[in-house]
CSV table of all heavy atoms in Angstrom, one decimal:
chain,number,residue,atom,x,y,z
C,220,ASP,N,-65.0,-22.2,53.9
C,220,ASP,CA,-64.0,-21.1,53.5
C,220,ASP,C,-64.3,-19.9,54.3
C,220,ASP,O,-65.2,-19.9,55.2
C,220,ASP,CB,-64.0,-20.9,52.1
C,220,ASP,CG,-65.5,-20.6,51.5
C,220,ASP,OD1,-66.4,-20.3,52.3
C,220,ASP,OD2,-65.7,-20.5,50.3
C,221,GLY,N,-63.7,-18.8,54.0
C,221,GLY,CA,-63.9,-17.6,54.8
C,221,GLY,C,-65.3,-17.1,54.7
C,221,GLY,O,-65.9,-16.5,55.7
C,222,ASP,N,-65.9,-17.2,53.5
C,222,ASP,CA,-67.3,-16.7,53.3
C,222,ASP,C,-68.3,-17.5,54.1
C,222,ASP,O,-69.2,-16.9,54.7
C,222,ASP,CB,-67.6,-16.7,51.9
C,222,ASP,CG,-68.8,-16.0,51.5
C,222,ASP,OD1,-69.2,-15.0,52.2
C,222,ASP,OD2,-69.6,-16.3,50.5
C,223,ALA,N,-68.1,-18.8,54.1
C,223,ALA,CA,-69.1,-19.7,54.9
C,223,ALA,C,-69.0,-19.3,56.4
C,223,ALA,O,-70.0,-19.1,57.1
C,223,ALA,CB,-68.7,-21.1,54.6
C,224,LEU,N,-67.8,-19.2,56.9
C,224,LEU,CA,-67.5,-18.9,58.3
C,224,LEU,C,-67.9,-17.5,58.6
C,224,LEU,O,-68.6,-17.1,59.7
C,224,LEU,CB,-66.1,-19.2,58.7
C,224,LEU,CG,-65.6,-20.7,58.6
C,224,LEU,CD1,-64.1,-20.8,58.6
C,224,LEU,CD2,-66.3,-21.5,59.7
C,225,GLY,N,-67.5,-16.6,57.8
C,225,GLY,CA,-67.7,-15.1,58.0
C,225,GLY,C,-69.2,-14.8,58.0
C,225,GLY,O,-69.7,-14.1,58.9
C,226,SER,N,-70.0,-15.4,57.2
C,226,SER,CA,-71.4,-15.2,57.1
C,226,SER,C,-72.1,-15.8,58.3
C,226,SER,O,-73.0,-15.3,58.9
C,226,SER,CB,-72.1,-15.6,55.8
C,226,SER,OG,-71.8,-17.0,55.5
C,227,GLN,N,-71.7,-17.0,58.6
C,227,GLN,CA,-72.2,-17.8,59.8
C,227,GLN,C,-72.1,-17.0,61.1
C,227,GLN,O,-73.1,-16.8,61.8
C,227,GLN,CB,-71.6,-19.1,59.8
C,227,GLN,CG,-72.3,-20.0,60.9
C,227,GLN,CD,-71.6,-21.4,61.0
C,227,GLN,OE1,-70.4,-21.6,60.7
C,227,GLN,NE2,-72.4,-22.4,61.3
C,228,PHE,N,-70.8,-16.7,61.4
C,228,PHE,CA,-70.6,-16.0,62.6
C,228,PHE,C,-70.9,-14.5,62.6
C,228,PHE,O,-71.3,-13.9,63.7
C,228,PHE,CB,-69.1,-16.2,63.0
C,228,PHE,CG,-68.8,-17.6,63.5
C,228,PHE,CD1,-68.0,-18.5,62.7
C,228,PHE,CD2,-69.2,-17.9,64.8
C,228,PHE,CE1,-67.7,-19.7,63.2
C,228,PHE,CE2,-68.8,-19.2,65.3
C,228,PHE,CZ,-68.2,-20.2,64.5
C,229,GLY,N,-70.8,-13.9,61.4
C,229,GLY,CA,-71.2,-12.5,61.3
C,229,GLY,C,-72.7,-12.3,61.5
C,229,GLY,O,-73.1,-11.4,62.3
C,230,LEU,N,-73.4,-13.1,60.9
C,230,LEU,CA,-74.9,-13.0,61.1
C,230,LEU,C,-75.3,-13.4,62.5
C,230,LEU,O,-76.1,-12.8,63.2
C,230,LEU,CB,-75.7,-13.9,60.1
C,230,LEU,CG,-77.2,-13.9,60.2
C,230,LEU,CD1,-77.7,-12.5,60.0
C,230,LEU,CD2,-77.9,-14.8,59.1
C,231,LYS,N,-74.7,-14.4,63.1
C,231,LYS,CA,-75.0,-14.9,64.4
C,231,LYS,C,-74.8,-13.8,65.4
C,231,LYS,O,-75.6,-13.4,66.3
C,231,LYS,CB,-74.2,-16.1,64.8
C,231,LYS,CG,-74.4,-16.5,66.3
C,231,LYS,CD,-73.3,-17.5,66.7
C,231,LYS,CE,-73.6,-17.8,68.2
C,231,LYS,NZ,-72.5,-18.7,68.9
C,232,LYS,N,-73.6,-13.1,65.4
C,232,LYS,CA,-73.3,-12.0,66.3
C,232,LYS,C,-74.3,-10.9,66.1
C,232,LYS,O,-74.7,-10.3,67.1
C,232,LYS,CB,-71.8,-11.5,66.0
C,232,LYS,CG,-71.4,-10.4,66.9
C,232,LYS,CD,-71.5,-10.8,68.4
C,232,LYS,CE,-70.6,-11.8,68.8
C,232,LYS,NZ,-70.7,-12.1,70.3
C,233,SER,N,-74.6,-10.5,64.9
C,233,SER,CA,-75.6,-9.4,64.7
C,233,SER,C,-76.9,-9.8,65.3
C,233,SER,O,-77.6,-9.0,65.9
C,233,SER,CB,-75.7,-9.1,63.2
C,233,SER,OG,-76.7,-8.1,63.0
C,234,LEU,N,-77.4,-11.0,65.1
C,234,LEU,CA,-78.7,-11.5,65.6
C,234,LEU,C,-78.6,-11.5,67.1
C,234,LEU,O,-79.7,-11.2,67.8
C,234,LEU,CB,-79.0,-12.9,65.1
C,234,LEU,CG,-79.4,-12.9,63.5
C,234,LEU,CD1,-79.5,-14.3,63.1
C,234,LEU,CD2,-80.7,-12.1,63.3
C,235,GLU,N,-77.6,-11.9,67.8
C,235,GLU,CA,-77.4,-11.9,69.2
C,235,GLU,C,-77.6,-10.5,69.8
C,235,GLU,O,-78.2,-10.3,70.8
C,235,GLU,CB,-76.1,-12.5,69.6
C,235,GLU,CG,-76.0,-14.0,69.4
C,235,GLU,CD,-74.6,-14.5,69.8
C,235,GLU,OE1,-73.6,-13.7,69.7
C,235,GLU,OE2,-74.5,-15.7,70.1
C,236,LEU,N,-77.1,-9.5,69.1
C,236,LEU,CA,-77.2,-8.1,69.5
C,236,LEU,C,-78.6,-7.6,69.3
C,236,LEU,O,-79.1,-6.8,70.1
C,236,LEU,CB,-76.2,-7.3,68.7
C,236,LEU,CG,-74.7,-7.5,69.0
C,236,LEU,CD1,-73.8,-6.8,68.1
C,236,LEU,CD2,-74.4,-7.1,70.4
C,237,THR,N,-79.3,-8.0,68.3
C,237,THR,CA,-80.6,-7.6,67.9
C,237,THR,C,-81.7,-8.3,68.7
C,237,THR,O,-82.7,-7.6,69.0
C,237,THR,CB,-80.9,-7.8,66.4
C,237,THR,OG1,-79.8,-7.2,65.6
C,237,THR,CG2,-82.1,-7.1,66.0
C,238,PHE,N,-81.5,-9.5,69.0
C,238,PHE,CA,-82.4,-10.3,69.8
C,238,PHE,C,-81.8,-10.9,71.0
C,238,PHE,O,-81.5,-12.1,71.0
C,238,PHE,CB,-83.0,-11.4,68.9
C,238,PHE,CG,-83.7,-11.0,67.7
C,238,PHE,CD1,-83.0,-10.8,66.5
C,238,PHE,CD2,-85.1,-10.7,67.7
C,238,PHE,CE1,-83.6,-10.4,65.2
C,238,PHE,CE2,-85.8,-10.3,66.5
C,238,PHE,CZ,-85.0,-10.1,65.4
C,239,PRO,N,-81.4,-10.1,72.0
C,239,PRO,CA,-80.7,-10.6,73.1
C,239,PRO,C,-81.3,-11.7,74.0
C,239,PRO,O,-80.7,-12.4,74.7
C,239,PRO,CB,-80.4,-9.3,74.0
C,239,PRO,CG,-81.6,-8.4,73.6
C,239,PRO,CD,-81.8,-8.7,72.1
C,240,LYS,N,-82.6,-11.9,73.9
C,240,LYS,CA,-83.4,-12.9,74.6
C,240,LYS,C,-83.4,-14.2,73.9
C,240,LYS,O,-84.0,-15.2,74.5
C,240,LYS,CB,-84.7,-12.4,75.0
C,240,LYS,CG,-84.8,-11.2,76.0
C,240,LYS,CD,-86.1,-10.7,76.4
C,240,LYS,CE,-86.1,-9.6,77.3
C,240,LYS,NZ,-87.5,-9.2,77.8
C,241,LYS,N,-83.0,-14.3,72.7
C,241,LYS,CA,-83.1,-15.5,71.9
C,241,LYS,C,-81.7,-16.3,71.9
C,241,LYS,O,-80.8,-15.7,72.4
C,241,LYS,CB,-83.5,-15.2,70.5
C,241,LYS,CG,-85.0,-14.7,70.4
C,241,LYS,CD,-85.4,-14.4,69.0
C,241,LYS,CE,-86.8,-13.9,68.8
C,241,LYS,NZ,-87.8,-14.9,69.3
C,242,HIS,N,-81.8,-17.5,71.5
C,242,HIS,CA,-80.6,-18.3,71.5
C,242,HIS,C,-80.1,-18.7,70.1
C,242,HIS,O,-80.9,-19.3,69.3
C,242,HIS,CB,-80.9,-19.6,72.4
C,242,HIS,CG,-81.5,-19.4,73.6
C,242,HIS,ND1,-80.7,-18.8,74.7
C,242,HIS,CD2,-82.7,-19.5,74.1
C,242,HIS,CE1,-81.6,-18.7,75.8
C,242,HIS,NE2,-82.8,-19.1,75.5
C,243,PHE,N,-78.9,-18.4,69.7
C,243,PHE,CA,-78.4,-18.6,68.4
C,243,PHE,C,-77.2,-19.6,68.5
C,243,PHE,O,-76.4,-19.5,69.4
C,243,PHE,CB,-77.9,-17.4,67.8
C,243,PHE,CG,-79.1,-16.4,67.7
C,243,PHE,CD1,-79.3,-15.4,68.6
C,243,PHE,CD2,-79.9,-16.4,66.5
C,243,PHE,CE1,-80.4,-14.5,68.5
C,243,PHE,CE2,-81.0,-15.6,66.4
C,243,PHE,CZ,-81.2,-14.6,67.4
C,244,PHE,N,-77.2,-20.6,67.6
C,244,PHE,CA,-76.1,-21.7,67.6
C,244,PHE,C,-75.5,-21.8,66.2
C,244,PHE,O,-76.1,-22.0,65.2
C,244,PHE,CB,-76.8,-23.0,68.0
C,244,PHE,CG,-77.5,-22.9,69.3
C,244,PHE,CD1,-78.8,-22.5,69.3
C,244,PHE,CD2,-76.9,-23.5,70.4
C,244,PHE,CE1,-79.6,-22.5,70.5
C,244,PHE,CE2,-77.6,-23.5,71.7
C,244,PHE,CZ,-78.9,-23.0,71.7
C,245,ALA,N,-74.2,-21.6,66.2
C,245,ALA,CA,-73.4,-21.7,65.0
C,245,ALA,C,-72.9,-23.2,65.0
C,245,ALA,O,-72.1,-23.7,65.8
C,245,ALA,CB,-72.2,-20.9,65.0
C,246,ILE,N,-73.5,-24.1,64.1
C,246,ILE,CA,-73.3,-25.5,64.0
C,246,ILE,C,-72.1,-25.7,63.1
C,246,ILE,O,-72.1,-25.3,62.0
C,246,ILE,CB,-74.6,-26.2,63.4
C,246,ILE,CG1,-75.8,-25.9,64.3
C,246,ILE,CG2,-74.3,-27.7,63.5
C,246,ILE,CD1,-75.7,-26.2,65.8
C,247,GLY,N,-71.2,-26.6,63.6
C,247,GLY,CA,-70.0,-26.9,62.8
C,247,GLY,C,-69.1,-28.0,63.5
C,247,GLY,O,-69.4,-28.4,64.6
C,248,GLU,N,-68.1,-28.3,62.8
C,248,GLU,CA,-67.1,-29.2,63.4
C,248,GLU,C,-65.8,-28.5,63.4
C,248,GLU,O,-65.7,-27.3,63.1
C,248,GLU,CB,-66.9,-30.4,62.3
C,248,GLU,CG,-68.2,-31.2,62.2
C,248,GLU,CD,-68.1,-32.2,61.0
C,248,GLU,OE1,-67.1,-32.1,60.4
C,248,GLU,OE2,-69.0,-33.0,60.9
C,249,LYS,N,-64.7,-29.2,63.8
C,249,LYS,CA,-63.4,-28.5,63.9
C,249,LYS,C,-62.7,-28.7,62.5
C,249,LYS,O,-61.7,-29.3,62.3
C,249,LYS,CB,-62.5,-29.3,65.0
C,249,LYS,CG,-63.1,-29.0,66.4
C,249,LYS,CD,-62.3,-29.8,67.4
C,249,LYS,CE,-62.9,-29.5,68.8
C,249,LYS,NZ,-62.1,-30.4,69.9
C,250,ASP,N,-63.3,-28.0,61.6
C,250,ASP,CA,-62.8,-28.1,60.2
C,250,ASP,C,-62.4,-26.7,59.6
C,250,ASP,O,-62.4,-26.5,58.4
C,250,ASP,CB,-63.8,-28.8,59.3
C,250,ASP,CG,-65.2,-28.1,59.4
C,250,ASP,OD1,-65.4,-27.2,60.1
C,250,ASP,OD2,-66.1,-28.6,58.6
C,251,THR,N,-62.2,-25.7,60.5
C,251,THR,CA,-61.8,-24.4,60.0
C,251,THR,C,-60.4,-24.5,59.3
C,251,THR,O,-59.4,-25.0,60.0
C,251,THR,CB,-61.8,-23.4,61.2
C,251,THR,OG1,-63.1,-23.4,61.7
C,251,THR,CG2,-61.4,-22.0,60.7
C,252,PRO,N,-60.2,-23.9,58.1
C,252,PRO,CA,-58.9,-23.9,57.5
C,252,PRO,C,-57.8,-23.3,58.4
C,252,PRO,O,-58.1,-22.3,59.2
C,252,PRO,CB,-59.1,-23.1,56.3
C,252,PRO,CG,-60.6,-23.2,56.0
C,252,PRO,CD,-61.2,-23.3,57.3
C,253,LYS,N,-56.6,-23.7,58.3
C,253,LYS,CA,-55.5,-23.3,59.1
C,253,LYS,C,-55.3,-21.8,59.2
C,253,LYS,O,-55.1,-21.2,60.2
C,253,LYS,CB,-54.2,-24.0,58.6
C,253,LYS,CG,-52.9,-23.7,59.4
C,253,LYS,CD,-51.8,-24.4,58.8
C,253,LYS,CE,-50.5,-24.2,59.6
C,253,LYS,NZ,-49.3,-24.9,59.0
C,254,ASN,N,-55.4,-21.1,58.0
C,254,ASN,CA,-55.2,-19.7,57.9
C,254,ASN,C,-56.3,-18.9,58.5
C,254,ASN,O,-56.2,-17.6,58.4
C,254,ASN,CB,-54.8,-19.3,56.5
C,254,ASN,CG,-56.0,-19.5,55.5
C,254,ASN,OD1,-56.8,-20.3,55.7
C,254,ASN,ND2,-56.0,-18.8,54.5
C,255,LEU,N,-57.4,-19.4,58.9
C,255,LEU,CA,-58.5,-18.7,59.4
C,255,LEU,C,-58.9,-19.0,60.8
C,255,LEU,O,-59.7,-18.3,61.5
C,255,LEU,CB,-59.8,-19.1,58.5
C,255,LEU,CG,-59.8,-18.6,57.1
C,255,LEU,CD1,-61.1,-19.2,56.4
C,255,LEU,CD2,-59.7,-17.2,56.9
C,256,ARG,N,-58.2,-20.0,61.4
C,256,ARG,CA,-58.5,-20.4,62.8
C,256,ARG,C,-58.4,-19.3,63.9
C,256,ARG,O,-59.2,-19.3,64.8
C,256,ARG,CB,-57.6,-21.6,63.2
C,256,ARG,CG,-58.0,-22.9,62.4
C,256,ARG,CD,-56.9,-24.0,62.7
C,256,ARG,NE,-57.1,-25.1,61.8
C,256,ARG,CZ,-56.3,-26.0,61.6
C,256,ARG,NH1,-55.1,-26.1,62.3
C,256,ARG,NH2,-56.4,-27.0,60.7
C,257,SER,N,-57.5,-18.5,63.7
C,257,SER,CA,-57.3,-17.4,64.7
C,257,SER,C,-58.4,-16.4,64.7
C,257,SER,O,-58.6,-15.6,65.7
C,257,SER,CB,-56.0,-16.7,64.5
C,257,SER,OG,-56.0,-16.0,63.2
C,258,PHE,N,-59.2,-16.4,63.6
C,258,PHE,CA,-60.2,-15.3,63.5
C,258,PHE,C,-61.6,-15.7,64.1
C,258,PHE,O,-62.4,-14.8,64.5
C,258,PHE,CB,-60.5,-15.0,62.0
C,258,PHE,CG,-59.3,-14.2,61.4
C,258,PHE,CD1,-58.7,-14.8,60.3
C,258,PHE,CD2,-58.9,-13.0,61.9
C,258,PHE,CE1,-57.7,-14.2,59.7
C,258,PHE,CE2,-57.9,-12.4,61.2
C,258,PHE,CZ,-57.2,-12.9,60.2
C,259,PHE,N,-61.9,-17.0,64.1
C,259,PHE,CA,-63.3,-17.4,64.5
C,259,PHE,C,-63.4,-18.1,65.8
C,259,PHE,O,-62.5,-18.8,66.2
C,259,PHE,CB,-63.8,-18.3,63.4
C,259,PHE,CG,-64.0,-17.5,62.1
C,259,PHE,CD1,-63.1,-17.7,61.0
C,259,PHE,CD2,-65.1,-16.6,61.8
C,259,PHE,CE1,-63.2,-17.0,59.8
C,259,PHE,CE2,-65.1,-15.9,60.7
C,259,PHE,CZ,-64.2,-16.1,59.7
C,260,PRO,N,-64.5,-18.0,66.5
C,260,PRO,CA,-64.7,-18.7,67.8
C,260,PRO,C,-65.1,-20.1,67.6
C,260,PRO,O,-65.2,-20.6,66.4
C,260,PRO,CB,-65.9,-17.9,68.4
C,260,PRO,CG,-66.7,-17.5,67.2
C,260,PRO,CD,-65.7,-17.1,66.2
C,261,SER,N,-65.3,-20.9,68.6
C,261,SER,CA,-65.6,-22.3,68.5
C,261,SER,C,-67.1,-22.5,68.1
C,261,SER,O,-67.9,-21.5,68.3
C,261,SER,CB,-65.3,-23.0,69.8
C,261,SER,OG,-66.0,-22.4,70.9
C,262,PHE,N,-67.5,-23.7,67.6
C,262,PHE,CA,-68.8,-23.9,67.2
C,262,PHE,C,-69.6,-24.3,68.4
C,262,PHE,O,-69.2,-24.6,69.5
C,262,PHE,CB,-68.8,-25.0,66.2
C,262,PHE,CG,-68.2,-24.6,64.9
C,262,PHE,CD1,-67.0,-25.1,64.5
C,262,PHE,CD2,-68.8,-23.7,64.1
C,262,PHE,CE1,-66.3,-24.7,63.3
C,262,PHE,CE2,-68.2,-23.3,62.9
C,262,PHE,CZ,-67.0,-23.8,62.5
C,263,ASP,N,-70.9,-24.3,68.3
C,263,ASP,CA,-71.9,-24.5,69.3
C,263,ASP,C,-72.5,-25.9,69.2
C,263,ASP,O,-72.6,-26.4,68.1
C,263,ASP,CB,-73.0,-23.5,69.3
C,263,ASP,CG,-72.5,-22.1,69.4
C,263,ASP,OD1,-71.7,-21.8,70.3
C,263,ASP,OD2,-72.9,-21.2,68.5
C,264,GLU,N,-72.9,-26.5,70.3
C,264,GLU,CA,-73.6,-27.8,70.4
C,264,GLU,C,-75.1,-27.5,70.6
C,264,GLU,O,-75.4,-26.6,71.4
C,264,GLU,CB,-73.1,-28.7,71.4
C,264,GLU,CG,-71.6,-29.1,71.1
C,264,GLU,CD,-71.1,-30.2,72.1
C,264,GLU,OE1,-71.9,-30.6,73.0
C,264,GLU,OE2,-69.9,-30.6,71.9
C,265,TYR,N,-75.9,-28.3,70.0
C,265,TYR,CA,-77.4,-28.0,70.3
C,265,TYR,C,-78.0,-29.5,70.4
C,265,TYR,O,-77.8,-30.4,69.6
C,265,TYR,CB,-78.0,-27.4,69.0
C,265,TYR,CG,-79.5,-27.2,69.2
C,265,TYR,CD1,-79.9,-26.0,70.0
C,265,TYR,CD2,-80.4,-27.9,68.6
C,265,TYR,CE1,-81.3,-25.8,70.2
C,265,TYR,CE2,-81.8,-27.7,68.7
C,265,TYR,CZ,-82.2,-26.6,69.6
C,265,TYR,OH,-83.5,-26.3,69.8
C,266,GLU,N,-78.8,-29.6,71.5
C,266,GLU,CA,-79.6,-30.8,71.7
C,266,GLU,C,-81.0,-30.6,71.4
C,266,GLU,O,-81.7,-29.8,72.0
C,266,GLU,CB,-79.4,-31.3,73.2
C,266,GLU,CG,-79.9,-32.6,73.5
C,266,GLU,CD,-79.6,-33.1,74.9
C,266,GLU,OE1,-78.5,-32.6,75.4
C,266,GLU,OE2,-80.3,-34.0,75.4
C,267,VAL,N,-81.5,-31.4,70.4
C,267,VAL,CA,-82.9,-31.2,70.0
C,267,VAL,C,-83.8,-31.6,71.1
C,267,VAL,O,-83.8,-32.7,71.7
C,267,VAL,CB,-83.1,-32.0,68.7
C,267,VAL,CG1,-84.6,-31.9,68.3
C,267,VAL,CG2,-82.2,-31.6,67.6
């Protein structure tokens, strides 16, 4: 929902600004609700 996505991307963006040398990944699928899709970026892939 909006809270899950907002906290995930909001915290990620803040951490990227605070720690510019580190790497942050928002893990997810293409399951963003229709009425929220225009607000959020795409998810990231991470290879362990």
